[in-house]
Amino acid sequence: MKLKDLIENIDVLETNVKDFDKDITDIAYNSKNAKEGCAFVCIKGFKADGHEYIDEAIQNGACLVVVEEFFDTSKIEGKIDYIKTSNTRKALAVMSANFFGHPSKDFLLIGVTGTNGKTSTTFMIKSILEANSQKVGLIGTIKNMIGSREIEAQHTTPESYDLQKLFWQMKNEGVDSVVMEVSSHSLELFRVYDCDFDVGVFTNLTQDHLDFHGTMENYFAAKLKLFGMSKKRVVNADDRWGKRIIEMYPDSVTYAKDSDAQVCARNIKLFVNKNQFELWYNGEKEEITLNIPGLFSIYNSLAASACCISLGIKLDTIKKGLENLKAVPGRFEIVESNEKFTIVIDYAHTPDGLLNLMKTVDEVAEGRKVLLFGCGGDRDRTKRPIMGEIAGRMADFVIVTSDNPRTEDPLKIIADILEGIRKTNVEYMVIPDRYEAIKYAIKNARENDFIVLAGKGHETYQILKDRTIPFDERRIVKDILKELRE
């Protein structure tokens, strides 16, 4: 691609480029991926600054570097062509969209944002769109998909170059629609900048990621960016932050269980392995049997339904799509066994997520509610005692263990959690080794116990200080059950 076309719509503050007609072979934001004739965009990350790797990019063949306005260009003058811009993350997004031909304009693009429920909602939307005879791409936390083909996901929302490349691949494989999770990080860091969203969906907003955003207002402001980028908006009218979005965008399609909304659920019945409810819109209803339990799953199905209603899809097709979906990995996932107790794996890792999970357990559990959980390291510390208190109030027995401690001392993370647990009278035990904690829970299970393994969900690994180890809780549970039977 010609350089002049690649940099269209980015703000050029300074440059030494003489030939804007020269060809650029690719874009790299990691110097290791730079190659002959490419443009290297210097991104200032959390751990490394791309400006420090310009020489490596040049050695690997880069013919142009894009730098931010703070960078002293005298360091590279005479070595390579450069362009200075105000924000290289934003420039990377625009250049990537230009390079791949703005593929998001060639299909229907749906973005789902919120603290909890993004993954399940995207899976539900995908299933409904497929029931409407569309070929659908999915981008999210668990995996990326083109139709039924799976592609491993590295981030909830990929970096802008990788996202545009994935869009381009999806376009070339003939997708009609793409539904994607849109994280607050991706909105704040311009990963989805210059994407053409047809619908933006808001699930809810509760405490999370304050290590990054600082305050809930900042967190909300980041989420809000999606709705300024979307042609249509779908919003949870039961959520207090959702109400603010509706005030800003009164043409939003609304959904709710408790508040007045255009799309709502009535006559809800909750079971251990499913939900039943009536889906109402505009005086019409469909009776839905949802194969994913939990009240939060009702909310996610309402979000998916409202999204598809905004696109003109009929209720009977929505019913078919919702009922076709059998499960979402790591979301209230019941581990099959022949035991007299139940084991559930769930991704809940925020205060609200844990509260909603345990409310669901409370609706269906016949015996003790045994909760095993930890909190992630190098993340928002303030939510740890809150989650500890929720655990103490909602469970009959709590096992505090590790999640992904990362570079933090697991015992210090546990100490933060215990601040909250000690405000309650719950019986609890601390077992830092998560494998041993799960083994203890199973070995000491009583008849009709409902054992909840919270925090890891779909993840098949555990991130420790110096390494990442395999840790698939489904496999671990089955191995422990097998060992205890022998």
Side-chain angles (χ1 to χ4, degrees):
M1 172 176 274
K2 300 294 184 187
L3 175 57
K4 64 182 179 184
D5 298 321
L6 183 69
I7 63 172
E8 186 178 357
N9 294 325
I10 75 166
D11 59 328
V12 178
L13 303 180
E14 178 187 318
T15 184
N16 66 346
V17 173
K18 300 291 191 295
D19 179 15
F20 286 92
D21 282 319
K22 71 176 181 179
D23 288 317
I24 302 296
T25 59
D26 203 350
I27 303 169
Y29 61 90
N30 184 323
S31 58
K32 290 181 172 56
N33 297 330
K35 58 187 180 183
E36 197 67 34
C38 81
F40 175 59
V41 183
C42 303
I43 301 296
K44 193 171 184 180
F46 300 114
K47 295 180 179 178
D49 184 349
H51 295 82
E52 297 175 3
Y53 295 87
I54 289 175
D55 286 342
E56 183 179 8
I58 293 172
Q59 289 171 12
N60 288 338
C63 67
L64 172 79
V65 294
V66 180
V67 299
E68 282 198 8
E69 54 187 330
F70 68 82
F71 182 73
D72 180 4
T73 52
S74 67
K75 297 177 181 178
I76 55 173
E77 191 66 59
K79 290 184 180 180
I80 193 170
D81 284 351
Y82 69 85
I83 289 173
K84 182 179 281 193
T85 186
S86 60
N87 188 309
T88 50
R89 287 188 177 276
K90 187 175 179 180
L92 177 63
V94 175
M95 291 168 65
S96 299
N98 289 341
F99 187 78
F100 289 105
H102 294 272
S104 65
K105 294 181 183 296
D106 295 315
F107 46 68
L108 184 76
L109 180 60
I110 299 164
V112 180
T113 199
T115 306
N116 299 310
K118 295 187 295 296
T119 298
S120 295
T121 301
T122 55
F123 272 80
M124 290 174 180
I125 293 171
K126 181 176 187 289
S127 187
I128 295 169
L129 293 175
E130 288 173 340
N132 199 46
S133 303
Q134 296 186 35
K135 183 173 182 179
V136 185
L138 181 140
I139 301 172
T141 305
I142 297 176
K143 56 190 170 186
N144 301 326
M145 301 179 72
I146 301 177
S148 59
R149 183 163 65 84
E150 297 183 9
I151 307 167
E152 185 180 356
Q154 299 294 328
H155 301 282
T156 298
T157 312
E159 186 55 79
S160 57
Y161 172 85
D162 304 308
L163 178 62
Q164 293 294 339
K165 186 175 182 178
L166 186 54
F167 282 162
W168 173 76
Q169 186 179 356
M170 289 177 169
K171 170 190 169 183
N172 289 342
E173 295 193 30
V175 301
D176 304 297
S177 308
V178 174
V179 56
M180 65 179 291
E181 296 180 46
V182 182
S183 68
S184 57
H185 287 70
S186 72
L187 288 158
E188 198 69 16
L189 299 174
F190 295 95
R191 290 178 188 162
V192 294
Y193 188 82
D194 219 8
C195 293
D196 196 52
F197 286 99
D198 293 280
V199 186
V201 180
F202 176 80
T203 59
N204 50 66
L205 195 75
T206 59
Q207 183 175 336
D208 200 13
H209 304 306
L210 296 191
D211 54 310
F212 178 75
H213 296 290
T215 67
M216 286 298 292
E217 283 294 337
N218 290 343
Y219 185 24
F220 177 63
K223 294 289 190 187
L224 196 59
K225 291 180 180 181
L226 174 63
F227 303 98
M229 300 166 63
S230 303
K231 299 181 183 72
K232 297 179 180 180
R233 300 155 196 93
V234 172
V235 183
N236 180 358
D238 279 342
D239 185 270
R240 70 185 184 94
W241 301 92
K243 293 181 194 298
R244 288 176 59 176
I245 297 174
I246 294 166
E247 288 176 3
M248 297 175 195
Y249 299 101
D251 61 342
S252 299
V253 176
T254 59
Y255 69 91
K257 180 181 74 72
D258 301 319
S259 306
D260 289 334
Q262 294 153 281
V263 182
C264 60
R266 295 176 185 164
N267 297 321
I268 296 170
K269 297 176 183 177
L270 304 177
F271 302 94
V272 174
N273 58 353
K274 66 181 179 181
N275 295 318
Q276 292 177 338
F277 66 98
E278 293 172 356
L279 175 65
W280 283 82
Y281 170 68
N282 202 24
E284 297 181 22
K285 74 167 183 176
E286 283 286 349
E287 294 183 359
I288 308 291
T289 298
L290 191 66
N291 297 303
I292 307 169
L295 185 59
F296 51 86
S297 296
I298 302 281
Y299 270 108
N300 297 336
S301 66
L302 287 175
S305 299
C307 172
C308 293
I309 284 169
S310 78
L311 298 171
I313 297 175
K314 297 186 180 300
L315 287 190
D316 58 347
T317 303
I318 291 172
K319 171 184 169 69
K320 181 180 178 183
L322 289 175
E323 295 186 346
N324 282 347
L325 187 63
K326 301 305 178 188
V328 178
R331 273 59 179 177
F332 211 88
E333 184 177 344
I334 297 175
V335 180
E336 293 184 10
S337 73
N338 295 318
E339 304 299 327
K340 293 182 179 179
F341 51 85
T342 303
I343 302 174
V344 166
I345 294 172
D346 194 273
Y347 189 52
H349 61 285
T350 66
D352 189 63
L354 190 63
L355 178 62
N356 287 328
L357 170 63
M358 295 309 293
K359 281 181 178 178
T360 295
V361 173
D362 200 42
E363 292 278 352
V364 298
E366 295 179 7
R368 291 190 312 163
K369 301 183 289 290
V370 178
L371 172 61
L372 181 152
F373 84 107
C375 289
D378 301 336
R379 298 293 186 269
D380 179 12
R381 288 187 59 186
T382 63
K383 70 181 183 181
R384 296 171 187 171
I386 298 171
M387 291 178 68
E389 188 172 353
I390 290 169
R393 286 194 286 108
M394 299 298 293
D396 299 308
F397 183 68
V398 178
I399 302 172
V400 186
T401 185
S402 293
D403 191 288
N404 291 319
R406 300 182 176 88
T407 65
E408 280 195 71
D409 180 350
L411 294 180
K412 288 185 178 179
I413 297 172
I414 288 171
D416 289 338
I417 296 170
L418 294 181
E419 287 180 23
I421 284 187
R422 290 182 180 129
K423 293 179 181 179
T424 73
N425 295 318
V426 74
E427 184 181 356
Y428 71 89
M429 177 169 284
V430 173
I431 306 177
D433 184 301
R434 194 171 178 102
Y435 180 92
E436 292 300 324
I438 294 171
K439 187 174 182 178
Y440 178 89
I442 295 173
K443 188 175 181 180
N444 292 277
R446 303 174 188 171
E447 186 172 341
N448 293 326
D449 272 2
F450 209 102
I451 301 171
V452 181
L453 310 182
K456 299 291 290 172
H458 63 278
E459 293 178 353
T460 57
Y461 54 84
Q462 187 176 31
I463 306 172
L464 307 178
K465 183 175 184 178
D466 56 349
R467 66 195 189 282
T468 298
I469 62 172
F471 204 92
D472 184 338
E473 291 192 338
R474 295 153 207 73
R475 184 181 297 277
I476 286 168
V477 167
K478 289 177 181 177
D479 288 348
I480 291 171
L481 287 170
K482 183 180 178 182
E483 178 187 339
L484 294 177
R485 290 189 193 111
E486 293 174 350

